[in-house]
Amino acid sequence: MDLSITVNGIKFPNPFVLGSGPPGTNARVLAKSFDAGWGGAVAKTVSLESAKVVNVVPRYGKLRSRSTGEVIGFENIELISDRPIEVWLEEFREIKKEYPNNVLIASIMEEYEKSRWQELTKMVQDTGVDAFELNFSCPHGMTERKMGSEMGEHPDLTEEVTSWVTEVSKIPVWAKMTPNITNIREPAVAAVRGGAVGISAINTILSVIGVDLETLRPMPTVEGHAVPGGYSCQAVRPIALRMVSQLALGLPEEISISGIGGIENSHDALQFFLLGASTVQICTGVMLQGVKMVDELNAGVTKFMTDKGFESVEEMVGKSLPYFSTHMDLVQKMKAAKRSKAGEASRDNEWAQKDITEKTAELTSN
Ligand SMILES: Cc1cc2nc3c(=O)[nH]c(=O)nc-3n(C[C@H](O)[C@H](O)[C@H](O)COP(=O)(O)O)c2cc1C
């Protein structure tokens, strides 16, 4: 089965894309994932000055199922890439040379300064990457420098910064949304006004994974202290699905959506396609299962499409959206269904109570 899909003019060999984060840490891991069969990858977010990015250890925390111990939620306080931009530029070039048919998306983030965003955009696009994803959504750490979700939480900033990038970019620009807002459509529409042709959603949800009852310290604990971090993994999937559906219903049709949040297998990915995503991104799932998980994604999506008679991924995109309605409409539909059932029941009663010859006469016109 051909799972390729063309999005914003870019042909993805399949719609499975590594989400920005540890799975896209450097060229070597990206190459490994393309060898494993991933259609595309969003590299770890880069900025102009990596020296300003200092990560802490530990920076992850897990929420486990009470009964099985399975990881169901994941918190991180990881920052964007701490590798120098010069190294990244070289690696972007290398990857595109070695894997011309795989889609490489550069995730970029900068301070609130037009010249910095435009400088970064120009130097990264010169490497031959296929598209940009603007990180307006990292909810921790970078926000102290007014970056990431500090921008994505303010639609006016989202629009302005997107327009700085699209002014100089020659490749498609996606904007990655933070879920830490009331109405995700507002920053998304603002990004589209700024020239974005795709929306990625969602980044992580601001969270505190727990408190150590021995030490009384919130986790993950670094030298006795903590900050809230970003929540991901399967627990966030229903929120991501809701937000993706709201975007699909609220954005112009030509705007593509890349669905992200808690995807761990083909079953999860399919739900994002059906709600309007044309590609899906996976980050925590890859961190927990490894890049080989793409085999099941390919096999599961292929089987579903064969069973349901879909001939392309594109055909599935948004197929479940027409079934959203208003609550008032659900009530009316339920009442109508009850009335029709009652009608059927009374008809059945009539047949049971009357003699068949009497009923035949009643239904005869002559
Ligand atoms: C450890 C970690 C690091 C991340 N780093 C980035 C990043 O640098 N840039 C970015 O846009 N998103 C980053 N994310 C967010 C993911 O790309 C993704 O939006 C989020 O985790 C939800 O998807 P998931 O449940 O598949 O992980 C990171 C997530 C994790 C868990």
Side-chain angles (χ1 to χ4, degrees), residues 19-22 43-45 60 74-76 78-81 107 133 135 137-138 176 202-204 230-234 236 260-263 281-285 287:
S20 184
K44 179 85 182 157
T45 305
Y60 304 152
F74 191 96
E75 186 196 320
N76 84 86
E78 181 167 300
L79 304 179
I80 60 174
S81 180
S107 169
E133 185 178 85
N135 184 340
S137 44
C138 182
K176 185 167 176 180
I202 59 173
N203 205 315
T204 50
Y231 198 40
S232 61
C233 199
Q234 55 178 291
V236 310
I260 322 169
I263 301 171
Q281 297 183 30
I282 305 178
C283 179
T284 311
M287 292 171 68

